[in-house]
Amino acid sequence: MSEDVQHGSSAAGRAKVLWVVVVAGLGYGVINTVTQVVDLFSG
Amino acid sequence: MGDGLPRGVAAAVAGAPPGYNRWWIPPAALAVHLSIGEVYAFSVFKNPLVEHFDTKLTPIGIIFSIAIVMLGLSAAVGGRWVERNGPRKAMFVAAVCWSGGFVVAALGVAADQLWLVYLGYGVLGGIGLGLGYISPVSTLIKWFPDRPGLATGLAIMGFGGGALIASPLSSKLLDVFADQPQDAIVGAFLVLGALYLVTMMAGAFTIRVPPEGWRPEGFDPAAVERRTLVTTGNVNAKNAIRTPQFWLLWTVLFCNVTAGIGILEQASPMVQDFFPDVSAAAAAGYVGLLSLCNMSGRFVWSSTSDVIGRKPTYMIYLGVGAVLYLLVASSGTASIVLFVLLTGIILSFYGGGFATVPAYLRDLFGTLEVGAIHGRLLIAWSCAGVAGPLIVNAIADARKGAGAEGADLYTLSLYIMVGVLAVGFIANLLIRPVDRRFHEDVEPQRDRRAAAEPAMAGARGERG
């Protein structure tokens, strides 16, 4: 049980880091694409 | 240990400890889907590979086709294995196959052996794609029984979004490793393989299956089950493919994907043929915009289906989609803004169709083997991946041969897509709840209920 809790808390820690990584990755992809679209259509 | 896998992986159907927050699951699923979504950005490597192998586009295009066919096959064949062994083991194997595919493909490029690239990126990577695509789906549905469309939409949005990250990243890597892109492929493949291995492993070691009988606070299953199509029973994967509902839904997915992929695959030349003033660079921007619509449609429409129901959602995808195709065919050349708007909405329906289907399957067949059933349904994707581009390209070639040009090259294809969507619309209309004889344990459940009846009557103070 305590091992469960320990594994659970390390997984929760990893999940928080993963949230940051995936949101940052998606943000990078979306901003990059939007910038490209705006540049190309305005150019 | 088990199955030759590391202890932390083999030990796991990876149950969650009490109090585990279900919002820790979506980033694990997203980590996998964002990684395998790279496959949609494979076109970045096409020209460098053509240069490197001194060949034509077709032999290089085969790499992507093998990967997509293997996606469908491995999802169909491996679905039950994924259900039996849990998401962690499946994600682990998917990570090894996907990143291993990059390493083998890099070896193929370094050794000038194209068949090794087919084997690596196509076959091995394709298996990673299929297993990775279906591995988190049933777990998400079990953690989010109140909002399965939102949960699967979030993950499958990652598959659409993966290309948005991989495309600029791959271009940068090709710039960094050598002066000429064709000399930088090996380095770029190895870096991507390593990056995806780390990301997918982080997902694999974070995912957890909910405890038996777990349900979110305040969730009343009866409220969901009151909806017409939502089943209270479970159908296994073997029986599911014997039901008309499976094949009707197969047709629905096939029609929706065929229509969408026809535009997606041909987007760049199509916009330039409709509007000759559009430059190649602006067409690339248009393709990026369609990718955004595809990605956001996965999340927005799938979440909406939790509120309005799965069947009405597909009626919108297929019914409104057919009207939009008709408008593109009849008045698409009137204005570029109108053309971009219409095709953007069509592509959002295309993405939405992928993301909503796991929740539709859950409604019809229950949660028991929804991942395996989803895997078998994805064969429709592989078939549509061949049919959609074939219809659009073959007709465009034939029309060109007959002297047509501009938007006229596509008019007939667009009308055919209206027909394809109409077929899907009818198939969706015909979907009814699955007959109870396909449900698992109908008799034992009835027996248990019968046995419990006197005890319950006693508890209520009733007397016979």
Side-chain angles (χ1 to χ4, degrees):
Chain A
M1 179 66 185
S2 63
E3 202 182 338
D4 261 4
V5 172
Q6 204 178 359
H7 284 180
S9 63
S10 63
R14 239 188 335 262
K16 286 176 195 167
V17 175
L18 265 185
W19 260 129
V20 174
V21 171
V22 297
V23 170
L26 269 174
Y28 164 75
V30 170
I31 290 168
N32 199 292
T33 308
V34 169
T35 313
Q36 215 180 8
V37 171
V38 170
D39 280 356
L40 290 169
F41 278 103
S42 59
Chain B
M1 293 283 285
D3 296 349
L5 295 170
R7 192 163 169 244
V9 178
V13 171
Y20 195 77
N21 187 336
R22 64 176 173 163
W23 284 101
W24 300 145
I25 305 301
L30 266 170
V32 171
H33 272 243
L34 281 171
S35 301
I36 59 176
E38 187 276 345
V39 70
Y40 277 150
F42 183 73
S43 59
V44 174
F45 291 104
K46 261 179 138 176
N47 284 334
L49 283 166
V50 167
E51 293 288 325
H52 181 89
F53 285 103
D54 191 20
T55 183
K56 292 181 179 167
L57 271 172
T58 307
I60 299 303
I62 289 173
I63 303 168
F64 176 81
S65 302
I66 296 174
I68 294 296
V69 169
M70 288 307 295
L71 183 159
L73 289 177
S74 60
V77 175
R80 289 197 88 172
W81 179 84
V82 171
E83 288 292 349
R84 275 200 309 275
N85 290 279
R88 180 187 284 183
K89 201 185 278 188
M91 285 181 179
F92 180 90
V93 175
V96 171
C97 289
W98 181 232
S99 47
F102 275 99
V103 175
V104 174
L107 271 176
V109 175
D112 282 331
Q113 299 293 324
L114 185 56
W115 68 271
L116 261 179
V117 184
Y118 290 156
L119 182 71
Y121 194 95
V123 177
L124 192 58
I127 294 171
L129 282 176
L131 295 180
Y133 192 91
I134 60 171
S135 56
V137 167
S138 72
T139 305
L140 280 165
I141 286 175
K142 284 168 192 160
W143 275 109
F144 290 84
D146 49 342
R147 280 178 286 178
L150 176 141
T152 55
L154 201 59
I156 292 172
M157 174 185 76
F159 195 76
L164 298 185
I165 302 170
S167 183
L169 183 64
S170 303
S171 298
K172 283 204 173 88
L173 288 172
L174 288 174
D175 284 344
V176 164
F177 278 104
D179 291 337
Q180 297 297 320
Q182 62 266 30
D183 301 326
I185 303 168
V186 174
F189 273 3
L190 290 177
V191 169
L192 287 176
L195 185 70
Y196 291 138
L197 183 69
V198 172
T199 312
M200 291 172 80
M201 285 299 179
F205 285 96
T206 305
I207 197 136
R208 292 287 186 278
V209 175
E212 194 69 36
W214 179 88
R215 67 175 62 152
E217 212 170 300
F219 171 62
D220 174 18
V224 179
E225 286 158 8
R226 271 196 293 273
R227 286 187 179 166
T228 335
L229 278 178
V230 181
T231 182
T232 52
N234 282 299
V235 181
N236 68 35
K238 206 171 154 191
N239 281 334
I241 59 168
R242 294 185 180 135
T243 64
Q245 286 79 0
F246 177 87
W247 293 105
L248 287 168
L249 199 49
W250 194 99
T251 308
V252 165
L253 185 67
F254 173 80
C255 293
N256 195 50
V257 178
T258 299
I261 218 166
I263 279 197
L264 196 60
E265 197 260 350
Q266 199 65 11
S268 176
M270 193 186 266
V271 72
Q272 291 176 86
D273 284 328
F274 267 72
F275 303 96
D277 291 344
V278 171
S279 67
Y286 168 69
V287 175
L289 191 67
L290 289 188
S291 300
L292 273 181
C293 294
N294 175 13
M295 185 187 85
S296 48
R298 290 168 190 246
F299 180 66
V300 172
W301 291 116
S302 187
S303 304
T304 307
S305 77
D306 285 338
V307 181
I308 64 172
R310 260 40 100 174
K311 196 169 175 174
T313 305
Y314 275 90
M315 284 163 79
I316 295 172
Y317 296 157
L318 299 155
V320 178
V323 174
L324 295 179
Y325 265 96
L326 210 56
L327 286 172
V328 174
S330 60
S331 34
T333 50
S335 136
I336 189 163
V337 176
L338 180 71
F339 179 85
V340 170
L341 186 72
L342 294 174
T343 50
I345 299 172
I346 287 172
L347 260 290
S348 81
F349 289 164
Y350 166 78
F354 278 118
T356 314
V357 92
Y360 209 160
L361 289 170
R362 194 290 305 252
D363 288 357
L364 290 168
F365 302 108
T367 55
L368 179 71
E369 289 194 347
V370 67
I373 301 169
H374 184 216
R376 291 173 188 206
L377 195 80
L378 289 181
I379 289 284
W381 181 2
S382 298
C383 296
V386 176
L390 198 68
I391 293 170
V392 176
N393 292 331
I395 291 176
D397 284 344
R399 300 282 297 145
K400 203 175 266 180
E405 57 182 25
D408 286 345
L409 294 174
Y410 305 98
T411 314
L412 179 60
S413 311
L414 291 168
Y415 284 125
I416 289 175
M417 293 308 179
V418 173
V420 168
L421 287 170
V423 171
F425 187 84
I426 294 166
N428 185 50
L429 272 184
L430 293 174
I431 293 177
R432 299 277 181 273
V434 174
D435 194 299
R436 287 180 63 84
R437 72 195 157 95
F438 291 107
H439 289 182
E440 290 289 293
D441 294 321
V442 173
E443 289 310 314
Q445 267 178 21
R446 196 176 293 152
D447 291 348
R448 276 200 297 275
R449 217 173 290 136
E453 223 29 66
M456 287 175 73
R460 289 195 296 265
E462 293 169 9
R463 294 289 177 269

